[in-house]
Amino acid sequence: MMKELGKKICDLCNKQYNELPKKGKPSTNQWTVLSAVVMELSQTFTVLTMATGTKCVGEKQKTPYVISDSHAEVLCLRLFRLFLLEDMTNCLQTGGGVCLERGPGQTFLLKEGVSFHFYSSCVMCGDATISEKSVMCGDATISE
């Protein structure tokens, strides 16, 4: 069942990405990583945020005006936080949002039945990739 759910989410994310205009996408001999956050509500799946990217800028290029980490998963989760902030604003203005509702006091609650799924087309960088070498690299020889 989890494998079917994963395939459904993967297919949805890739379908939506493929429907986007070609501008900004990698050419035939290039590749990128795709990450997305998908909301599930009543067996309906909606892509909330989606991003592509594969690099960080070097230390010398970092400024307050440059996104220093443009890996797909980082950009996607930043967009998801922005989505949640906008949904909170909607809750304050109208009493309800896409996935949130007003709670007691100044709190917000996830609407009944809402869940989120994170998709990435490639293993993430950093600590998220810690795994046995045989799993990560197959038969490749790794020097320590």
Side-chain angles (χ1 to χ4, degrees):
M1 186 163 144
M2 287 300 285
K3 195 172 188 178
E4 292 168 10
L5 176 62
K7 179 163 176 24
K8 185 174 192 168
I9 291 167
C10 175
D11 290 346
L12 174 67
C13 294
N14 283 293
K15 179 179 182 287
Q16 279 209 252
Y17 176 76
N18 290 330
E19 290 173 355
L20 293 172
K22 179 67 179 148
K23 185 177 180 181
K25 289 183 179 178
S27 60
T28 309
N29 62 343
Q30 297 175 323
W31 65 277
T32 192
V33 175
L34 170 66
S35 292
V37 174
V38 176
M39 180 177 73
E40 179 183 1
L41 176 60
S42 303
Q43 306 260 322
T44 301
F45 295 83
T46 307
V47 176
L48 297 178
T49 65
M50 179 182 286
T52 61
T54 58
K55 68 177 184 175
C56 287
V57 298
E59 196 63 39
K60 291 180 183 177
Q61 293 135 333
K62 286 186 181 180
T63 74
Y65 308 105
V66 173
I67 296 175
S68 60
D69 188 345
S70 58
H71 284 95
E73 68 274 11
V74 172
L75 295 175
C76 182
L77 292 175
R78 285 181 178 178
L79 287 169
F80 182 58
R81 284 194 295 268
L82 179 61
F83 170 83
L84 290 175
L85 288 171
E86 289 175 353
D87 213 37
M88 288 177 199
T89 301
N90 288 336
C91 283
L92 292 172
Q93 293 172 348
T94 66
V98 174
C99 61
L100 300 173
E101 57 191 18
R102 293 288 303 265
Q106 291 295 316
T107 64
F108 300 93
L109 302 171
L110 202 55
K111 287 183 177 179
E112 182 83 24
V114 170
S115 60
F116 300 107
H117 306 277
F118 179 77
Y119 167 78
S120 188
S121 63
C122 187
V123 176
M124 295 177 278
C125 64
D127 289 342
T129 62
I130 295 175
S131 183
E132 291 184 40
K133 289 179 189 176
S134 61
V135 173
M136 293 299 297
C137 304
D139 293 331
T141 304
I142 301 172
S143 50
E144 303 277 342

